[in-house]
Amino acid sequence: MGILHRLFGRRARDVWLAEARLLQRFGYVQPPEAVQWISTSVCDLACPHCYSHAGKKSHGELTTDEAKRLIIDELVRLNRPVLVIAGGETLLRKDFPEVVEYAHRRGVPWAIHTHGGRVEQHLATFEKYPPVMAAISLDGPREYHDRFRGKAGSFDAAIRAMKALKRIGVGEVVAGTTINRENADLLADMVTDVFDSGADSWGFHLMTPEGRAHQHAELVPTPRQLRRVAGFGRRMRAVFHVELDNEWGGAGRDDCFYRDATFTCGAGRISCVVAATGELMPCTTTDSNESQGNVRETPLSELWANGFKPFRTAGNGIASDCDDCWIQTRHGHSCRPAFHLDLFEPDGRRMIPLASFQLSAFSGQRSANRVSG
Amino acid sequence: MRWVAILALWVVAVVLAIVVLRRVRSGKNVVLCGRWSPRVIRTVAVVLVVLGAGEEARTPEAQAAPTKLPIRGADDELPATVNPRSIQVWLAAHQEGGYVEEYKKTVAKILTAGKVAPGEPKVPPATVLPPQLFKIVQADLAAVKNGKPLPKVAPVDLKTALDEMENQGRYDHYWNAYLWRKTATAEFSDATGRIELYARFRQHARITDALIRAHAQVKPIMQAPRAWMSKAGPRPGEIAAMQANAASLTDMYKVAAEVLPTTDEGTWKRDGVALFKPVKDAEAPVLIRGGKERVLPADESTRFGRLDLFKTGDKPAAIIHDWLGTVELPANRVVSVWDLPKLLPEAAKQKLDEAVHEALKTNAEDAADRLERSLAVAHFAIRAGLRELPNAKGAPKLRLILALFDDAIMPPLPIHKIGDGVDEFGPGLRGLRGGPGR
């Protein structure tokens, strides 16, 4: 088995890709590893980097019964992938404990993304039905975090949430920092806070210029910043579990220095997202053109089995390319690959100056080809 | 009997083909939820990729990277201290949540904060680090606790610490960089000791990266891709399954040996460097990298990194930096990045101070970028600027850049007063007192 292991390990991403295409050709598909549910658009904060327009409740959000029947029951059919409950702010849903209790009863593991402000109110639920992972947003040191999130005390609440979740024994608590142009430089100043929070790991996400963030092009980090942040993350990994999230794309053979598992875009292949109104999306994109259907009209398991064809077959441009974050690429955020390049040997083709960002150019564009320099 | 078996196989094949064809024609996919079929599919996929089916998905980086070098130098071979047994120690020492990692985190936190919280550090087991390194680190922690400068370490103790680490298979970027930072204040009696030690640091970094690469390549065959990095946790039982299928130590050893020739010194090559050329009609220094001497090419820039040394002969030598100008190096010296900033001419120091000033006051990206591109000489000025204006608008950015030089998360500034308000790292920013951060 040794040789097989090594062959797999060396080309894991290619194997996953070939496997997905092979299965698709013969009418099969692997079950998802995780299904994210944007449980609500309601949020009590109005962060500029939000990939949706979270704030008010969307018209037609899934009800409690629908969440149980159309999502959790369907996940049982899909081999019980992790149900990642996100928002908006998911803890503002009054039925949160009921939904989690139901998932637990049906044997579906769950994870949560939250700003942390209401974790303490729901601690009993977390303790009784522990998630496999809880990610709490942390945008910067106290002053910056509170200012960015528009609410004094939100930093302290996030830290308290992480400590509380660790105290009650949640297996993996993640401090999640979405990198933007303002906080990219603040990471070295956040180390002590992250360590003190008790978090098990620190995820560096990347602002996606969608939703509200689309209106804040000035917050897109520069290539130089990305390079520094990635370099910092690489060093931090010698001390702490830091990971560059998928939005960064892959770093080729150096990927292992930035994250635990080889990068591969999971959209429609290993994961998907159920939007607040039941639309099934490949990832957290809010582009309705990417919807594979609504779980109210077609069962989730059926949509998973028969949708996402561009992601599972060759020749669909960035949608079928596992080497990159297709959504970032489509949004013109093409400087990301610079993160792992040498300072003195930049790949000019990929180092597109920030001024050339045309955030409006992608509007309505579906599965566009890779942006070239 | 043989014909019956063949007939049976054909029947099975035809039935399977009909089932698959019907499924394909119906356009309805089926989700594969069995226990064994995913394993069979995975094995077929591995074979397909090996046969070339995955070629289109290979990244340009992967294609560009040579898989084998024609000649293997002595430093391209793993030392005897790296073996399956020591790899086991390496894996154990790096276990998340283990006491070794916890101790490292505590040390990093104390050094970053520059203070010791009550009850810290907890007394670790004696085996947390090899004895000499443990002694050095504990002395530093005691100094922080007592508000004193970090003590100097003798070169021989640095070498012993590195020897002990490697003998135990403790290849670790954090501690390697820790010992390297100690060379800033170590007093080397001869050039050879420094050259050897820097070559050891470089090799230690390469071997550590080779082990990390090997660890990434030797994985259980059924490992699923991570759905979202940092966004979804493993399903119950997955961690246990992964541990049960723990990577083969022998395989890891083989892969590490295989990738070492194509593994460079990583962050040491990538960051904290500056580009220099020899000066026309002047004596040129020799560059020493990995213990080997190299002549500086006349017409092209050469990167001078944190593990490189310039060696001069009986006459003073000179090098030129595009932005900072000519730097004269005294005769019969071995110069490291810790020495180079002190040798800059006044005009260059002034340029650096101005750039630091601009970066701090305005948070200007261009000024910060200029400093980062000359970090091997700019780090003194950056430290001085941060001491003067720790709360300036651009201070966080410069702290981040400095972390790339120190190869750590902003350790304390090793200040050693050497007389009359002037510390070893220069007099600080001239004329910047009372800036925006004060």
Side-chain angles (χ1 to χ4, degrees), chain A residues 9-10 13 19 27 29 31 79 113 185 189 196 227-228 235 238 241 245 253 305-306 323 339, chain B residues 29-30 32 42 57 59 96 104 109 213 217 229 231 235 258 262 270-271 303 365 372 397 399:
Chain A
R10 193 170 300 180
R13 197 180 55 81
E19 188 175 272
V29 58
N79 217 19
H113 300 172
D185 300 329
D189 290 2
D196 285 344
R227 203 188 150 280
R228 278 178 210 139
R235 279 163 180 80
H241 185 173
D245 190 27
R253 70 196 287 263
N306 298 309
D323 186 41
F339 83 79
Chain B
N29 287 346
V30 167
L32 209 62
R42 175 64 48 88
T59 62
E96 216 169 281
K104 195 198 285 181
K109 198 179 103 180
R213 277 194 207 285
Q217 285 191 20
M229 313 273 176
K231 284 190 176 178
R235 284 190 269 179
E258 205 173 290
T262 55
R270 184 182 182 271
D271 298 309
R303 65 176 71 212
E365 183 62 49
E372 190 181 354
K397 193 197 296 276
R399 274 194 282 273

Side-chain angles (χ1 to χ4, degrees), chain A residues 22-44:
Chain A
L22 176 73
L23 287 171
Q24 177 73 22
R25 186 166 293 179
F26 292 109
Y28 291 95
V29 58
Q30 294 277 24
E33 290 288 320
V35 173
Q36 183 169 349
W37 173 37
I38 307 293
S39 61
T40 181
S41 312
V42 177
C43 190
D44 47 357

Side-chain angles (χ1 to χ4, degrees), chain A residues 354-371:
Chain A
L354 204 68
S356 71
F357 276 33
Q358 294 292 328
L359 290 177
S360 57
F362 66 83
S363 300
Q365 207 178 345
R366 191 170 192 278
S367 297
N369 288 327
R370 184 194 289 275
V371 175

Side-chain angles (χ1 to χ4, degrees), chain B residues 83-157:
Chain B
N83 51 53
R85 163 74 189 141
S86 69
I87 289 175
Q88 193 174 20
V89 173
W90 185 79
L91 288 170
H94 286 86
Q95 224 164 37
E96 216 169 281
Y99 68 85
V100 178
E101 285 294 286
E102 282 305 307
Y103 178 71
K104 195 198 285 181
K105 202 169 105 180
T106 307
V107 170
K109 198 179 103 180
I110 290 171
L111 295 182
T112 305
K115 60 184 178 193
V116 181
E120 276 188 339
K122 289 172 192 154
V123 180
T127 53
V128 71
L129 286 180
Q132 186 61 49
L133 178 60
F134 187 57
K135 201 172 150 190
I136 293 169
V137 176
Q138 288 294 102
D140 281 354
L141 296 183
V144 172
K145 195 171 185 177
N146 299 324
K148 291 186 174 167
L150 302 188
K152 293 181 183 183
V153 180
V156 65
D157 291 338

